[in-house]
């Protein structure tokens, strides 16, 4: 697979994600102005921090007068998941030189993680993985920053009654359902436990519920795997192939393999 | 918040976020992951996605207003069914948003 083929495949997979990210970007842009950031800051934050969920949380905290320390700890907690993605992707992206890896890391999103985790089983070449990663990340980044800038310039001009920001949870819902449908029993346990804990732990301050749920789910999946033996196939082929011990899991047939038609999520996010 | 304070906060948030993203991708083998953590990575997508998704659709507690919640539940159920059946994101977006708007209109 050539670089441009990989890039195009990623860009095609990113298309519906881009549609969904647009209203979210606009919402974050509008919120940044409303909370009192200058226009330059409100636009700049989406380019520099580039993490919508954490930005939205920070803006809410600024609005209620939270101390800076609380805002930064919340940012750290909400973005800890990027360290998990980073570990999962390290092996896939290791062919690139270090400065280039820093650029790739900067462009990481939930979407590049979710799409890559479903596609990488079919890409043996590391160059193609990098091309695909860029194919997803560049359009998502471009549309997100543009939409957010638009939100800043629009101010409050968005029709609130349309609930367009609801597109974001629908995107994540799709990704989750697909991960579950294609998963193995320990993956189902991990997903179900995380969902239950997330709902119950939602009242926890500073979005701690999200992390509690994620770790509870991962622990439950490991517990199930330990009790009932390893899964016959990896549910989602996101396992880092950096370490030799993980290689068996990475090279096992990807659950998404063959059945993904081009417009499907599996072919996709 | 002052202009300088605003930029300071934004830069600090950016530094934290980039450190998370870059950690393993940039440092690679210089960080060794314990075997347990490596096995656990297989469950990251299902668990993290669930943690993001579930509270957006299902909320309990004093601030949970049924007129706000019902359309979200309906959209979540329809969206999940369409997702499981088609695995097609655009289909889920259409079905979910139409359900949300439909139930919102019904509850008027």
């Amino acid at each position: 697979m050539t670089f441009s083929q990989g890039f195009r495949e990623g860009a095609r997979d990113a298309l519906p994600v881009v549609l969904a990210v647009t209203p979210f970007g606009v919402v974050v842009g509008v919120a940044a102005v409303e909370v009192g950031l200058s226009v330059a800051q409100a636009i700049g934050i989406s380019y520099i921090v580039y993490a919508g969920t954490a930005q939205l949380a920070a803006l809410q905290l600024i609005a209620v007068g939270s101390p800076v320390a609380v805002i930064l700890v919340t940012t750290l907690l909400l973005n800890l998941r990027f360290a998990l993605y980073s570990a999962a992707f390290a092996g896939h992206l290791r062919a690139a030189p270090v400065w280039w890896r820093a650029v790739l890391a900067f462009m990481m999103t939930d979407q590049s993680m979710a799409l890559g985790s479903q596609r990488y089983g079919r890409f043996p070449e590391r160059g193609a993985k990098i091309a695909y990663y860029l194919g997803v990340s560049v359009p998502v980044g471009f549309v997100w920053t543009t939409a957010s800038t638009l939100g800043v310039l629009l101010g409050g001009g968005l029709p609130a009654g349309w609930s367009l920001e609801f597109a974001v949870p629908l995107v994540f819902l799709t990704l989750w359902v697909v991960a579950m449908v294609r998963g193995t029993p320990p993956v189902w346990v991990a997903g179900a436990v995380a969902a239950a804990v997330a709902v119950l732990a939602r009242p926890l301050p500073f979005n701690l519920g999200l992390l509690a749920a994620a770790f509870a789910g991962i622990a439950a999946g490991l517990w199930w795997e330990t009790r009932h033996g390893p899964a016959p196939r990896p549910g989602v082929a996101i396992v880092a192939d950096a370490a030799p011990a993980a290689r068996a899991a990475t090279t096992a047939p990807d659950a998404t393999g063959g059945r993904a038609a081009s417009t499907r999520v599996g072919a996709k996010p | 918040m002052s202009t300088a304070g605003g930029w300071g906060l934004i830069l600090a948030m950016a530094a934290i976020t980039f450190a998370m993203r870059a950690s393993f991708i940039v440092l690679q083998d210089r960080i060794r992951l314990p075997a347990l953590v490596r096995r656990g990575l297989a469950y990251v997508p299902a668990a993290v996605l669930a943690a993001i998704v579930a509270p957006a659709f299902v909320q309990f507690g004093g601030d949970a207003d049924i007129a706000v919640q019902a359309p979200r539940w309906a959209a979540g159920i329809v969206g999940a069914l369409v997702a499981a059946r088609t695995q097609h994101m655009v289909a889920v977006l259409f079905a979910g948003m139409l359900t949300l708007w439909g139930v919102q209109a019904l509850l008027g």
Side-chain angles (χ1 to χ4, degrees):
Chain A
M1 177 180 291
T2 66
F3 187 90
S4 75
Q5 280 173 332
F7 188 94
R8 275 204 307 273
E9 194 157 339
R12 204 183 52 216
D13 287 353
L15 199 64
V17 174
V18 155
L19 289 177
V21 150
T22 305
F24 189 42
V26 174
V27 166
V28 170
V30 170
V33 177
E34 281 176 351
V35 111
L37 295 189
S38 72
V39 169
Q41 288 169 346
I43 292 174
I45 190 171
S46 286
Y47 285 85
I48 303 172
V49 179
Y50 189 46
T53 312
Q55 283 172 233
L56 209 52
L59 294 173
Q60 280 162 1
L61 291 173
I62 292 174
V64 298
S66 296
V68 167
V70 169
I71 298 174
L72 293 182
V73 171
T74 304
T75 303
L76 176 69
L77 291 176
L78 276 178
N79 289 339
L80 260 183
R81 70 188 191 284
F82 287 135
L84 296 176
Y85 302 165
S86 191
F89 270 114
H92 294 303
L93 302 178
R94 72 184 333 183
V98 64
W99 61 271
W100 193 213
R101 290 204 303 272
V103 173
L104 293 173
F106 182 78
M107 294 194 292
M108 176 197 295
T109 60
D110 292 307
Q111 289 82 9
S112 43
M113 176 281 294
L115 286 166
S117 72
Q118 298 194 3
R119 278 295 212 181
Y120 278 180
R122 297 175 36 205
F123 292 158
E125 319 97 318
R126 292 219 164 99
K129 289 176 179 176
I130 293 169
Y132 181 85
Y133 182 92
L134 281 171
V136 174
S137 304
V138 170
V140 169
F142 176 76
V143 171
W144 156 259
T145 48
T146 305
S148 155
T149 303
L150 204 66
V152 172
L153 301 178
L154 275 176
L158 203 69
W162 287 16
S163 310
L164 289 178
E165 72 285 351
F166 196 68
V168 176
L170 283 173
V171 166
F172 286 120
L173 176 72
T174 313
L175 298 174
W176 178 57
V177 168
V178 171
M180 294 290 272
V181 167
R182 299 204 171 136
T184 54
V187 171
W188 302 335
V189 170
V193 167
V197 173
V199 170
L200 295 175
R202 191 181 68 92
L204 288 182
F206 315 133
N207 264 303
L208 280 173
L210 186 145
L211 287 171
F215 282 109
I218 293 165
L222 285 172
W223 169 80
W224 185 274
E225 180 190 306
T226 307
R227 253 188 87 104
H228 300 274
R233 46 169 201 182
V236 180
I238 194 172
V239 182
D241 62 357
R247 194 149 290 151
T250 317
T251 51
D254 177 7
T256 66
R259 62 179 291 199
S262 65
T263 56
R264 296 190 138 206
V265 174
K268 134 167 332 306
Chain B
M1 178 165 296
S2 70
T3 305
W7 282 118
L9 176 66
I10 290 170
L11 290 177
M13 286 178 67
I16 290 168
T17 307
F18 180 68
M20 297 295 109
R21 285 179 164 131
S23 54
F24 294 93
I25 288 178
V26 170
L27 295 176
Q28 290 283 333
D29 298 340
R30 268 169 281 176
I31 315 177
R32 281 294 293 171
L33 281 179
L36 184 71
V37 175
R38 261 184 278 130
R39 277 169 49 211
L41 288 176
Y43 306 110
V44 168
V48 174
L49 291 170
I52 295 174
V53 164
F57 290 95
V58 186
Q59 297 177 359
F60 295 115
D63 59 336
D65 176 1
I66 190 78
V68 175
Q69 293 304 307
R72 293 176 157 247
W73 295 336
I77 292 166
V78 170
L81 290 175
V82 174
R85 184 93 186 86
T86 68
Q87 305 192 0
H88 196 302
M89 188 173 289
V90 176
V92 176
L93 282 174
F94 271 104
M97 290 309 294
L98 289 176
T99 306
L100 184 80
W101 291 334
V103 178
Q104 277 175 345
L106 282 178
L107 296 178

